[in-house]
Amino acid sequence: MTTLQHAWHGARRRRALIILLLGLPWALAATLLTLRLAGFDIACVVGTASLLACAAFATARARQLDRQWLQRQLDGSGASEDSADLLFADAPTLNPLQQRQRAHVLATLERAMPELRPRWPRGALALCWIAGLAIVVLALGWPRSNPASAPARTSAPGSTAAAGPLRLQSTRLRIDAPAYTGQATLTQNALDAKVAADSRLSWSLRFDRAPDKAWLQFHDGRRLPLSEHEGQWQAQDVARTPVLYRVVSEPALAETRLHRLDVVADRAPSVRVLEPAASLVLGTPGQRQWALRFEAGDDYGVAAQATLSITTTQGSGENITFVKRSVTLAGSGEATARRFTHTLDLAALGAQPGNDVIAQLEVRDNHAPTPQTGRSSSVILRLPSAEVALGAELEGRIKKTLPAYFRSQRQIIIDAEALIRQRRSLAAEDFVKRSDAIGVDQRILRLRYGQFLGEESEGAPKPPPTSDLPTSDTPTADDHDHDDDHDHGADGGAHDAHGHDHGGKAANADTPPVFGSATDVLSEYGHTHDHAEAATLLDPQTRATLKAALDQMWSAEGELRQGRPEQALPFAYKALGFIKQVQQAERIYLARVGPELPPIDEGRRLGGDRAGLASRELPLAARTPPDPAIVEAWQRLGDDTGAPDLDALATWQQRNAAYLPDALDLAAAIEQLRIEPGCRDCRQRLRAQLWRALQRPLPQPMRRPAADAMGQRYLDALEAQP
């Protein structure tokens, strides 16, 4: 089978070689013809395209010798005994007779392999090469349409003038970027380019005949002379600032256009903090490690190593000391986006509770000769002290306990839905009674929530809500015991309009009051809704949400008490949604401290003495007026009254290049008008560029419209009054 494979590949190679030999003379002839007629650059393009076309055609023709072609060749030669298809079949799928025949054919081919390679087309090859070489000889011997450079140089001045202006035959610009950018050398035909800073530029120009001298004229007045070498006019320069330039020669070129050379400066590397997500991280008690992760990016690549600066603060108040350390980190990933990871050992740094650990990463790029640096934002790990940890733990306990008060609205919804499903199996009277009982539960829950808003209690006086409140989903019996309306009073006491007992006994007469107990004092003389802590337990936004939940509970209670649980469910669901928002709300405790204001000097009051008082008027910075020469040039360009001073404009543009929106566009418009003074479009283009460069006028206040006859009489009457 190996011999067969070698013979097959040999046939393919022979076919591809034949096609290449047939096409090479024609590609060579086309290249030389293009070189004589259109120049070197176009000839290179034509030659490359011709070779690629020959290679592609040869590959396609070689691939036509596929497996079916091989089977036909073997069967036609008789070496395979018309069993060539068995050679490429899967052996396990063949029966014993087919396998024996396959082995016999393979043995025959190993002994005597037929010739599969196609024959050399000697006649076609000879004809193609003779014709191609004839075309090459004709192209080389055909006279040029333009005179040679040597006769042109030695001819008289009169003949040079009669020959007409010069023309550029070919242009080439080679760009060698700095080594730190990692960019390969680029060669292009266009003279406009966008290159990296400090790139080395090499121009190579060919004219239709040799000029006396030639140079590159830059818009800032600088000249770069071109020197001739083997018919090519060459020059070299280093790109440092964006410029405009054009090719100038003697005699002058027939077509002169500006070329733009943009220079892209190397940006400093940027560093982004990936972990931690926040700039200030509060540590946990007993924390021993702190993971840091940074990402550094640059347009051409950052260095493989970076420096991590670590600062540890110790002490408090005015006695704070700083300990600085630095660690070298190795990055991973691509050069343009490296990642740096490090885990700080807080114990090794000597960080104690109450200290801060500050980290900042500094990276460098590959800019030569002086690398540029970039720093990340500082991230701070604040290790809590013992007092802060204790306060945080207490806050956490309060937050864990508070949601226990808001858990029975879901049970009311479940009971109402269960009652709706049992409607058909219950009598109408029982259905209404059970619905009313659920409404009573809704009322008890509404009163319990109302205590957090400082609302009036509809039952006996109760202490402010504490952590001892019921936490189960099912209402307790005590809630039903205190479920009294406003028109009922407590036992043995006089009641005010609120239904509270102001002078009677406590609700539980068996328990004697404890002297000095805040709970018993409130139960005896106070109101729950007047308690400051009960009324201001929640922030205003949470109180508004809870108030909306109470409104929905009120509507649900009314529907349930009337035996309509279906109409009560939408209100109950809305109340549950508001309660969930209350559960997730954040609570903020503020210390009750009064403002510490400086004492008022009573001796200076009402004295009219303004000594020591600074003026409160904001100073107005004077704005630099626009250059009057630029304004005049802009007006002249619009009125067509005369040509502006282009030299003064060019000087002003170079002096203010850093402040202009696009300095090169303005310079190009000035140079274009200098080349074509009578071009109206060039004048309008320059005027538009000057308008962009001028300062925008400040907005002026709108003047009050003039008074009409009636208003003027009114103003005159005011002035006539003494």
Side-chain angles (χ1 to χ4, degrees), residues 230-292:
E230 297 181 357
Q232 300 283 342
W233 291 78
Q234 300 174 353
Q236 292 184 351
D237 195 15
V238 178
R240 291 187 173 88
T241 57
V243 291
L244 293 170
Y245 71 98
R246 53 194 175 94
V247 181
V248 182
S249 65
E250 292 182 1
L253 287 171
E255 181 181 357
T256 302
R257 60 180 296 265
L258 287 172
H259 304 282
R260 179 166 179 162
L261 191 63
D262 289 308
V263 178
V264 181
D266 183 19
R267 298 192 303 268
S270 60
V271 188
R272 185 165 59 97
V273 182
L274 300 180
E275 186 179 354
S279 59
L280 177 60
V281 181
L282 299 179
T284 57
Q287 182 176 352
R288 296 180 178 273
Q289 294 181 341
W290 188 27
L292 300 174

Side-chain angles (χ1 to χ4, degrees), residues 587-647:
R587 304 173 64 199
I588 301 176
Y589 295 90
L590 300 177
R592 292 190 173 183
V593 294
E596 299 180 0
L597 300 178
I600 300 176
D601 186 6
E602 299 291 343
R604 296 186 58 186
R605 298 193 65 184
L606 304 178
D609 184 9
R610 300 181 59 85
L613 298 181
S615 176
R616 297 184 179 181
E617 296 181 358
L618 295 177
L620 297 178
R623 187 175 184 182
T624 304
D627 192 344
I630 305 303
V631 177
E632 182 183 359
W634 181 79
Q635 294 175 349
R636 284 192 175 186
L637 289 171
D639 299 339
D640 294 337
T641 56
D645 189 355
L646 297 181
D647 294 334

Side-chain angles (χ1 to χ4, degrees), residues 348-365:
L349 295 175
Q352 302 294 332
N355 297 348
D356 291 348
V357 180
I358 307 170
Q360 186 182 39
L361 185 70
E362 178 180 347
V363 298
R364 297 188 177 187
D365 61 3

Side-chain angles (χ1 to χ4, degrees), residues 217-236:
Q217 180 69 48
F218 295 92
H219 78 281
D220 55 0
R222 185 167 57 95
R223 284 189 177 188
L224 183 62
L226 294 169
S227 59
E228 183 186 9
H229 179 70
E230 297 181 357
Q232 300 283 342
W233 291 78
Q234 300 174 353
Q236 292 184 351

Side-chain angles (χ1 to χ4, degrees), residues 214-470:
W215 65 92
L216 299 179
Q217 180 69 48
F218 295 92
H219 78 281
D220 55 0
R222 185 167 57 95
R223 284 189 177 188
L224 183 62
L226 294 169
S227 59
E228 183 186 9
H229 179 70
E230 297 181 357
Q232 300 283 342
W233 291 78
Q234 300 174 353
Q236 292 184 351
D237 195 15
V238 178
R240 291 187 173 88
T241 57
V243 291
L244 293 170
Y245 71 98
R246 53 194 175 94
V247 181
V248 182
S249 65
E250 292 182 1
L253 287 171
E255 181 181 357
T256 302
R257 60 180 296 265
L258 287 172
H259 304 282
R260 179 166 179 162
L261 191 63
D262 289 308
V263 178
V264 181
D266 183 19
R267 298 192 303 268
S270 60
V271 188
R272 185 165 59 97
V273 182
L274 300 180
E275 186 179 354
S279 59
L280 177 60
V281 181
L282 299 179
T284 57
Q287 182 176 352
R288 296 180 178 273
Q289 294 181 341
W290 188 27
L292 300 174
R293 196 154 56 95
F294 303 89
E295 183 182 33
D298 189 70
D299 43 5
Y300 299 120
V302 297
Q305 293 184 344
T307 303
L308 179 64
S309 301
I310 307 168
T311 305
T312 306
T313 64
Q314 298 176 354
S316 61
E318 297 182 356
N319 299 324
I320 298 180
T321 59
F322 299 90
V323 180
K324 296 184 178 181
R325 299 178 179 86
S326 60
V327 179
T328 302
L329 304 182
S332 60
E334 300 179 357
T336 56
R338 293 190 187 275
R339 294 200 173 189
F340 299 87
T341 306
H342 186 67
T343 302
L344 294 179
D345 188 355
L346 301 180
L349 295 175
Q352 302 294 332
N355 297 348
D356 291 348
V357 180
I358 307 170
Q360 186 182 39
L361 185 70
E362 178 180 347
V363 298
R364 297 188 177 187
D365 61 3
N366 300 323
H367 187 273
T370 304
Q372 301 181 97
T373 60
R375 295 179 178 86
S376 68
S377 58
S378 298
V379 288
I380 306 173
L381 173 64
R382 181 159 296 169
L383 298 176
S385 59
E387 295 79 4
V388 175
L390 180 61
E393 184 179 0
L394 179 61
E395 177 70 13
R397 289 179 180 177
I398 293 177
K399 288 186 177 181
K400 292 178 182 177
T401 304
L402 181 63
Y405 302 141
F406 311 106
R407 290 183 179 174
S408 57
Q409 182 64 26
R410 186 182 301 276
Q411 187 61 43
I412 292 175
I413 295 175
I414 295 175
D415 295 342
E417 291 178 346
L419 179 61
I420 293 173
R421 290 193 297 269
Q422 298 175 4
R423 176 188 289 272
R424 296 185 179 180
S425 60
L426 295 176
E429 185 177 355
D430 295 339
F431 180 81
V432 173
K433 287 182 179 180
R434 291 185 58 178
S435 178
D436 181 69
I438 299 174
V440 172
D441 294 340
Q442 180 70 84
R443 177 173 176 269
I444 295 173
L445 180 64
R446 176 176 57 82
L447 295 178
R448 186 185 306 170
Y449 280 107
Q451 295 175 2
F452 290 92
L453 298 179
E455 293 185 350
E456 295 285 354
S457 176
E458 298 184 10
K462 299 178 183 179
T466 64
S467 59
D468 295 330
L469 288 177

Side-chain angles (χ1 to χ4, degrees), residues 459-505:
K462 299 178 183 179
T466 64
S467 59
D468 295 330
L469 288 177
T471 60
S472 62
D473 284 348
T474 307
T476 60
D478 294 335
D479 297 330
H480 291 276
D481 293 340
H482 295 287
D483 183 17
D484 298 327
D485 296 326
H486 282 281
D487 55 347
H488 294 81
D491 296 339
H495 302 272
D496 59 2
H498 298 298
H500 294 288
D501 189 358
H502 290 269
K505 299 180 181 180

Side-chain angles (χ1 to χ4, degrees), residues 562-578:
Q562 298 180 41
R564 297 196 295 264
E566 295 89 349
Q567 288 79 359
L569 280 180
F571 301 107
Y573 273 113
K574 292 181 180 179
L576 179 62
F578 288 127

Side-chain angles (χ1 to χ4, degrees), residues 542-556:
T542 306
R543 287 172 53 83
T545 307
L546 187 57
K547 183 63 172 63
L550 293 181
D551 294 340
Q552 300 298 325
M553 290 182 184
W554 177 271
S555 302

